[in-house]
Amino acid sequence: MKKVAEFFVEYFQFLDKDSKVVDDLPEFTNDRGFLISLYRSMVLTRIFDEKAVRMQRMGQLSTFPSSLGQEAVMVGTGAALKKEDVYCPYYRDQGVLFRHGVTPKELFIYWSGDERGSAFSGAREDFPIAVPIATQSLHATGVASAFKIRKQPRVVITMCGEGGTSEGDFYEAINLAGAWNLPVVFIVNNNQWAISVSREAQTKCETIAQKAISAGFKGIQVDGNDIIAVYDKVSQAVENARNGGGPQLIEAITYRLSDHTTADDASRYCPKDNLDKAWDEEPVERFKKYLEDYHDFNESEDLAIKDECSKEVDQAAIDMLNFEKPNAESMFDHLYENFPEALLVQYEELIAMNKEGGK
Amino acid sequence: MKKVAEFFVEYFQFLDKDSKVVDDLPEFTNDRGFLISLYRSMVLTRIFDEKAVRMQRMGQLSTFPSSLGQEAVMVGTGAALKKEDVYCPYYRDQGVLFRHGVTPKELFIYWSGDERGSAFSGAREDFPIAVPIATQSLHATGVASAFKIRKQPRVVITMCGEGGTSEGDFYEAINLAGAWNLPVVFIVNNNQWAISVSREAQTKCETIAQKAISAGFKGIQVDGNDIIAVYDKVSQAVENARNGGGPQLIEAITYRLSDHTTADDASRYCPKDNLDKAWDEEPVERFKKYLEDYHDFNESEDLAIKDECSKEVDQAAIDMLNFEKPNAESMFDHLYENFPEALLVQYEELIAMNKEGGK
Amino acid sequence: MTMITMAEAINQALVYEMTQDQDVVVMGEDVAGNGGVFRITVDLLEKFGPDRVMDTPLAESMIAGCAIGMASQGVKPVAEFQFMGFIYPAFDHIINHAGRLRNRTRGRLSCPLVFRAPYGGGIHAPEHHSESTEALFSHIPGIRVVIPSTPARAYGLLLAAIRDPDPVLFLEPKAIYRKFKQNVPDTGQALPLDKCFISKTGSDVTIVAWGAMHAEAMHAADILEADGISAEVIDVATIKQLDMKTILTSIEKTGHCVIVHEAARTNGVGAEIAAEIAEHGLFSLHAPVKRVTGFDTVMPYPILEKKYLPNADRISKAVREVL
Amino acid sequence: MTMITMAEAINQALVYEMTQDQDVVVMGEDVAGNGGVFRITVDLLEKFGPDRVMDTPLAESMIAGCAIGMASQGVKPVAEFQFMGFIYPAFDHIINHAGRLRNRTRGRLSCPLVFRAPYGGGIHAPEHHSESTEALFSHIPGIRVVIPSTPARAYGLLLAAIRDPDPVLFLEPKAIYRKFKQNVPDTGQALPLDKCFISKTGSDVTIVAWGAMHAEAMHAADILEADGISAEVIDVATIKQLDMKTILTSIEKTGHCVIVHEAARTNGVGAEIAAEIAEHGLFSLHAPVKRVTGFDTVMPYPILEKKYLPNADRISKAVREVL
Ligand SMILES: Cc1ncc(C[n+]2csc(CCOP(=O)(O)OP(=O)(O)O)c2C)c(N)n1
Ligand SMILES: Cc1ncc(C[n+]2csc(CCOP(=O)(O)OP(=O)(O)O)c2C)c(N)n1
Ligand SMILES: [Mg+2]
Ligand SMILES: [Mg+2]
C-alpha cells in the first residue's frame, strides 16, 4: 500500500459573525469607495428582493426567488467580473447580474413572466437565467472554450446552488473545465437548502468544495456571509483563470433566509432555530458593522444609500408595470433568424385570432 | 484560513510486474484451489475473447469488445460476488459475468446480435449488458436501494471504464450511493483508453479513485493486473457494504491490449511503445508465474486448464451457431407483459410478411 | 360523499396502493418532508415512513435510473419529476432502459414503475414549468403514457398505472389539479389503460382531447350544443397505446373530427391520431380532420401563455369550420 | 470528375467550410485523433489543428451544453454524437437551450451550431446503435432537423446547416455512408434547407421518404415502373421544418401517397405528414395514405433488423395496395 495522492480543502473568512477581523485583510479593503459600492449593491439586492416578493403577492410578478441572506455571495461574485467577462447565471443571483450591468427593471420584467427581461441591455453576452438546474455550468465551459480558442483574456463565472451540484451536468462541466484547463470559475451558493432538501440529504461529502477534487482542480470554502472573503477569493480565482491558471470551485457557505420562492413555505420543513441562528450571521448587517467599526461609516450615509436604492427599485417597478405588453405574435419573433415558411399559416392564424379579440 | 477537510488515495499491489510479492499476502492466498479457480477463469476469459474476435472476423458475431489484458480486473471482481448479489455490467466484463453464472454460450448469442443472450439462465437478477455508457451505475444504486428497503444483506457491484467516469450518470450514482449509504461497489476498469481518447484527455484528476471524494466516500487504486489485489480489495469492499458500511470506489489500473472492439483499429492512435510496455505487465502470465513460484503450479496443470477452457469455449460457439433462429414476430414478445391491442395489426402484418417469404 | 380535487385524488390513490402493496414506494425531489411542490405526496412520509417515501438528491437522470434498478427487483417506485420541463435529463433512461429492460432480457427482468410529472400550462409558472411534451414519449416503444382529465380518472388510472407490470409515464395536468372536484370513492377500483373514455356522446362531430384540454373540449361542446351542434367528446386518457378503435367508431358516426392538444402542433400526438384516421377512417370523413393545438413555438412565458393555449372558443370555432 | 461516398462528401463539406470560416470547429468523442468511429472527421485534426478539432471527454450532455456555450460566442461548433442512440443525455440541452437561446434572449444571443449523428439500421451494429428517432426532434421548436439521402445532398445540406444561424440536427444515414458514390464537385454550393427534393417525377403515386429509405423508395419506383406504375419520389431532406407544399402539390397530381420511414410507426414523422395531408390534401386523395415504417417495437438486435426495416418490396407492395 502506498499513498498516491493527497488533498485538502481550505476555508476563508476575514470577518467573523460579529464583524471582527480574524485574518489579514486584503489590499482592496483600503479602498473605502469600493467597499461602499459593495455595500450599496448588497442593499440594492435586498431592497429589490423585498419589493419583488411584495409585487408577487400583489400578482405583479409570477414567481420570485429571493436571495435574502445571500447578498454577499452575489455581490462579491458580481464585483469580480470585468465588463468583458461573461456570467452564466442561475435564478437566485440578481446581485451578480446587477453588478454586471443587468437592470432591476429587466429582472422585474423577467419575473413578471416576459421573455424581454432576458434581453439584458447592459450585459450583452451573459447567458439568460437558467431554470433547468446546473445546465448553465456546461454553457459556461462552452463560453470559456470560445475564449480559449480565440485566445481572448476573458473569464466566465457561473453559479449554482448546493443542490445543483448533485446534477450530472455540474460534474460534467467541472470535469471538462479541468481537462481543458478552461478559464471558468464555478461558484456554489451553499444556502443549505434545495427547496426542502437539506444540504446533508443532498450529498455525503464533508464540503461541496471537495467536488472539485474529482475534476483535478482546487476547491475552496469561503464564508459566504463575509463579502470580503467572497470578493477576495472570487477575484483571485478569476484573475488566476485569466492568466491561464485554469478553473476553480468556490463554495460560499451561507443560508437561505427566505422561502425557496414565493411559491414555497419554508416553515413546513426549515427548523426555526436554524433560521434564528442564521439571522445572526447574515451578511448585510455584518458588513455594515465592519464599515462602521473600521471605515467611519455612519447612519446618514446608510440612510442615503437605502433611500437611493429604494427609489431605484421603485422606479424600476413602475417602468416594468408601464412596459408595453407584447403582441401575441411576438412569440414567433425570435424562434429562428430566418422565419420558416412552414410556420406562416400558424403565424397568421395567431394574428387573426387576436385581431378578432379571440381569447 | 483553516484546513477543513483532508483526503488521500491509496494504491494496493501484492504482486509486482515480475510476480514478486511486495506486500503481506492476504489470507485467501493459502487456498490453492481457489487461486487455481481464479487462474482458470482468467484463462477462460482470454480464450473466450480470442475466439470471439476470430468469430467476428468470420461474420459469426456482429461486434466484439475484447477484455485482453484486463482479465484480473474482471475475474477478481466476479469472484467477490456471492450468488445472491447482483452485478450491473458494462460490455467488456465477460470475466465477471462468467464468475457469476452467465455462460459463454449466452455471451456469444448476445454478441451475435440476438437479445436472447441476455436471458442469463444462471444470473437471473443481474442487469443485462449496458451499452449506453455509465447508465448501469444508476441501475446499481436502484438495486442497492431495493436491498436496503427490504433489509436484505445483499450487495451490488457495477463496473465502467475510466471513460465512463466522465458521464454525469456515474457521478449522480456515486453521489446517491454516498447520500443513501447504499450497499454498492463501483469498479472502474481503468484501461487507459476510451476508444481513442486517452486517460489523460478524459479528466485532469490525478487518480480516478479520487472521484469518490466528491461523493463523500473512499476511493482506492489497485493494480488491476494483480488478481490478488483486485480480489482482496473488491471482496473487502463488498463485505463492508454488506455490513452496512456503504459504498466504495475501486479504480483498477490496467491496459487495453486489444482494439476497442472489432470495429476499431487501435494502431491509429495507440503508441506501440505503450503497448509493448503493457504486455510486460499483463495479468495472466503474472499470476501464472506467481502460482509457479509460490504454489508449485506446473506446465501440465496449465495445459490441462487451457485445454479444458478451449473445449468449453469451442462448444459454446457451436451451441450458439446451432441455436435456433428467432421468429421475426419475437421482436414483439417481451415488449410488454400485457400485449397492447393497438399493436395487433402490426404484429399480424409482421407474421404475414414473413409467411409470404417477404424480405 | 366527499368531493375531492385531482390533487387529492392522486394522493388518495397513492395512499390506497401503498397500504395494499408494501412494494410501492414514492421518490423524488421534495416529495417527502415537503409533500411535493404541488402537495401531491403530502402526508405520505408520516404514513409510510422514510424507507418508502424518499427525498432524492437533485438529479433527474438519477431518479429514473435508480427507479429502474429498484423496479428490476420488484420494488414498485412511483417516482416524481417535479415538472415535465425537467424530465429531459431522464430521457435516456426512459427510452433506453425503462422501455427496454423486459425486451432486452427476454422477460427475465421487468420494470414495473410509474414516472409522475405535472405538465401543461395555465398556472403562470416560470419558463420550462408549462411544458406539454407527451408526444416525445408516445414515440417510445415499451412504455405507456397516461394522462388523466378528472379527479375520478386520475384515481382510477393511477391505480392501474401502479399495478401495470410495465413502465408508465403518468402526466398530471397541473392546471386542473385543484380546478374542480368530483366524488371519488376510495374503493381501489382501477380504470382500464389503453382505452379512451367517451365523456359525452354526440352525433355531429368528434372532439378528441386529453388532460386539461378535456375540460375545454367539454366546455366547447356546451357552447356548440346551444347552437344545436351535437359534439361527441373523447378523452384519450392513454396516449400510448392509443385506442383508435373508439375514435374511429365515433368518426364513423359523426363524420367530422377535431383533435385538441396544448402541445406544439408539429408531430404532436394529434398528428398520430389524424394519420390513423387518414389511413383507416378516410371514407367516414365528410371534412378534413382539424387540429387545434399549441403553436410551433417555444411555450411562451406567462404573459402570453393564454394566447398559446387552446381553449373552448378556439375549439368551437374549429368545429364550425369543419362542419 | 471524382465519385465520392456520402462519408467522403460530409468530410469534404467540413473541410470546405472550415477553410472558409475560421469560426467553424469540430468536437465530439474520438473525432480528432481517430477521425471519428466512421472516419467522417478523418484528417481534420491534421488540417486544422487541436484548437479547432477537439476530442471531448465521454459525456453527451456536456458535448451539447459546451457547444451551446461556444455558439453563443459566435464560434460555430459541428458537434458529433457518436451514434443517435447516445444522444438522449443531450436531450435537455437540445430542447431547453439550443432551441430556445435566441427566443429566450429575444435575439440577443443565438445558437449557430450543428449536431451531427449517424443514425438508422442496416449495419449489424450492437443495440442502441441502429436508432432512428428523428421524430423526437421534429417536435422541438427552435431547431431544424436535416437528413441527407445522397452524397451530393449530404454535401450541400451540411454546408447549409453550418451556415444556418440556428441550431441544426444533422442526421446521417450510416447504412449508406459508403453504399454508393456520386460526383460531388467541391464548389461550396449549399442546398436549401426547409425544402423537399423531387428525386423522380411520376404520376400515379407519391412516395415520400428520407435518409436511407430514399434509396429503397427509388428502388421501389423502379420495380413499379416495370409494371407500368409511375411513382413520384420525394426526399423530404429537412424533417423540420417540413415542406408540405411540395408534398401536397405532388399528391394533387398523383392522388395517392405512401410515406416511408425506418423509425417506429407511432408518432413518427410520417404521422405529421399524413396528418397534414388529411387536413390540407384530403380532397386530392383517391385512397388512404399509407405508412410503411419500422414496427412499434424496440429496434431489434442485428439478427432481426432486416425484418424490422422497410425495404423496396414492402414499399412497392404498399403502393399496389393504395392504387
Ligand atoms: C433540472 C431541474 N430539476 C428540478 C428543478 C426544480 N427546482 C427548482 S429550484 C430547485 C432547488 C435548487 O436548489 P439549489 O441548487 O440548492 O439552489 P437554491 O434554490 O437553493 O439557490 C429545484 C429542485 C429545476 N428547476 N430544474
Ligand atoms: C452514452 C454513450 N456514449 C458513447 C458511446 C460509444 N462508446 C462506446 S464504448 C466508448 C468508450 C468507453 O470507454 P471506457 O469507458 O474507458 O471503457 P472501455 O471501453 O475502455 O472499457 C464509447 C465512447 C456509448 N456506448 N454510450
Ligand atoms: Mg440551495
Ligand atoms: Mg477505458
Side-chain angles (χ1 to χ4, degrees), chain D residues 1 5 8 34 44 53 68 133 172 275:
Chain D
M1 189 168 110
T5 63
E8 290 162 328
N34 196 33
L44 296 184
V53 184
I68 290 165
T133 50
E172 301 167 4

Side-chain angles (χ1 to χ4, degrees), chain B residues 38-231:
Chain B
L38 293 179
Y39 179 70
R40 187 191 186 282
S41 294
M42 290 168 73
V43 168
L44 178 73
T45 303
R46 182 158 297 185
I47 290 176
F48 177 86
D49 283 352
E50 284 164 358
K51 176 84 180 179
V53 171
R54 282 198 308 277
M55 288 170 75
Q56 198 282 338
R57 304 273 180 246
M58 293 164 65
Q60 293 169 337
L61 300 182
S62 70
T63 318
F64 184 75
S66 170
S67 63
L68 188 68
Q70 301 141 75
E71 295 87 352
V73 180
M74 302 309 159
V75 172
T77 297
L81 281 166
K82 288 198 181 162
K83 178 88 188 139
E84 69 269 24
D85 294 337
V86 164
Y87 183 60
C88 294
Y90 80 127
Y91 47 78
R92 198 189 297 286
D93 39 11
Q94 28 278 357
V96 191
L97 292 170
F98 292 159
R99 288 288 309 200
H100 207 223
V102 177
T103 65
K105 176 184 168 191
E106 286 166 338
L107 290 190
F108 278 141
I109 292 174
Y110 176 84
W111 290 110
S112 78
D114 183 336
E115 283 85 350
R116 293 173 300 173
S118 297
F120 297 174
S121 54
R124 302 295 298 166
E125 297 177 58
D126 283 4
F127 256 67
I129 288 171
V131 173
I133 305 279
T135 54
Q136 72 276 15
S137 320
L138 283 170
H139 305 152
T141 65
V143 175
S145 298
F147 294 166
K148 200 182 159 210
I149 291 169
R150 290 174 167 170
K151 305 193 177 21
Q152 297 170 337
R154 302 167 68 188
V155 175
V156 189
I157 300 185
T158 184
M159 192 185 288
C160 65
E162 87 294 342
T165 68
S166 295
E167 289 277 7
D169 274 12
F170 172 78
Y171 167 75
E172 293 187 5
I174 58 173
N175 190 56
L176 181 70
W180 287 7
N181 199 44
L182 296 174
V184 55
V185 177
F186 299 90
I187 312 289
V188 177
N189 174 28
N190 177 358
N191 63 10
Q192 312 305 328
W193 294 99
I195 308 186
S196 71
V197 179
S198 69
R199 155 68 182 84
E200 292 66 40
Q202 199 64 241
T203 180
K204 199 188 174 188
C205 60
E206 299 82 348
T207 69
I208 300 287
Q210 78 204 51
K211 293 190 181 263
I213 296 171
S214 72
F217 60 85
K218 203 166 124 187
I220 62 169
Q221 285 190 327
V222 300
D223 180 340
N225 294 336
D226 172 5
I227 179 104
I228 296 177
V230 176
Y231 174 72

Side-chain angles (χ1 to χ4, degrees), chain C:
Chain C
M1 189 169 112
T2 39
M3 303 286 282
I4 60 175
T5 62
M6 181 182 285
E8 290 162 329
I10 295 169
N11 183 271
Q12 178 174 297
L14 289 169
V15 172
Y16 185 93
E17 204 59 11
M18 290 183 81
T19 306
Q20 297 298 312
D21 184 347
Q22 296 302 311
D23 279 327
V24 179
V25 301
V26 161
M27 62 193 286
E29 295 156 9
D30 304 290
V31 297
N34 196 33
V37 295
F38 284 103
R39 323 282 301 133
I40 300 300
T41 53
V42 70
D43 292 341
L44 296 184
L45 177 63
E46 290 70 18
K47 288 187 174 120
F48 302 102
D51 273 359
R52 295 181 63 199
V53 184
M54 294 165 270
D55 275 336
T56 63
L58 209 178
E60 289 72 18
S61 187
M62 180 272 279
I63 290 174
C66 179
I68 290 166
M70 286 182 186
S72 77
Q73 284 290 314
V75 169
K76 297 178 191 157
V78 180
E80 176 177 300
F81 296 102
Q82 202 158 80
F83 289 88
M84 189 173 201
F86 308 129
I87 204 173
Y88 311 119
F91 207 87
D92 188 32
H93 282 276
I94 296 173
I95 187 168
N96 274 342
H97 295 293
R100 300 186 190 188
L101 190 59
R102 179 189 293 280
N103 183 70
R104 181 183 291 145
T105 61
R106 303 279 85 193
R108 179 171 61 82
L109 295 177
S110 64
C111 198
L113 57 74
V114 177
F115 290 130
R116 293 179 43 243
Y119 92 106
I123 63 158
H124 292 273
E127 54 176 327
H128 308 291
H129 290 68
S130 301
E131 317 261 322
S132 314
T133 49
E134 66 275 15
L136 300 175
F137 299 90
S138 76
H139 188 54
I140 300 179
I143 67 168
R144 283 186 167 80
V145 183
V146 175
I147 305 182
S149 65
T150 68
R153 287 182 190 155
Y155 178 80
L157 289 170
L158 181 55
L159 287 178
I162 300 174
R163 292 172 194 170
D164 193 84
D166 290 303
V168 177
L169 177 63
F170 192 82
L171 297 173
E172 301 167 4
K174 60 177 164 315
I176 56 171
Y177 261 153
R178 297 180 164 81
K179 207 159 185 177
F180 54 91
K181 296 186 176 192
Q182 274 181 335
N183 178 31
V184 187
D186 195 12
T187 57
Q189 190 69 51
L191 286 168
L193 300 182
D194 299 357
K195 284 273 170 255
C196 295
F197 299 105
I198 299 177
S199 295
K200 177 183 171 303
T201 54
S203 52
D204 297 332
V205 61
T206 303
I207 308 179
V208 178
W210 54 90
M213 289 300 110
H214 174 258
E216 297 295 329
M218 291 296 280
H219 185 189
D222 287 345
I223 296 174
L224 293 163
E225 193 97 335
D227 289 351
I229 299 168
S230 163
E232 179 144 315
V233 178
I234 293 182
D235 174 13
V236 177
T238 303
I239 295 303
K240 183 178 189 80
Q241 306 283 335
L242 271 181
D243 168 17
M244 282 306 301
K245 231 183 235 171
T246 300
I247 297 172
L248 289 167
T249 306
S250 173
I251 293 174
E252 258 174 50
K253 176 171 67 175
T254 63
H256 300 91
C257 183
V258 170
I259 304 165
V260 189
H261 59 68
E262 321 188 13
R265 177 185 175 90
T266 295
N267 251 92
V269 174
E272 178 61 30
I273 296 172
E276 281 290 281
I277 297 171
E279 183 156 352
H280 302 293
L282 188 70
F283 300 119
S284 313
L285 283 177
H286 304 147
V289 176
K290 242 197 166 349
R291 289 182 279 165
V292 178
T293 69
F295 295 95
D296 278 331
T297 60
V298 177
M299 172 82 196
Y301 291 5
I303 200 166
L304 287 183
E305 71 174 336
K306 268 203 178 152
K307 308 279 184 184
Y308 180 87
L309 293 171
N311 57 24
D313 272 3
R314 276 177 66 192
I315 298 167
S316 52
K317 191 160 157 279
V319 166
R320 290 178 218 271
E321 278 168 32
V322 300
L323 284 182

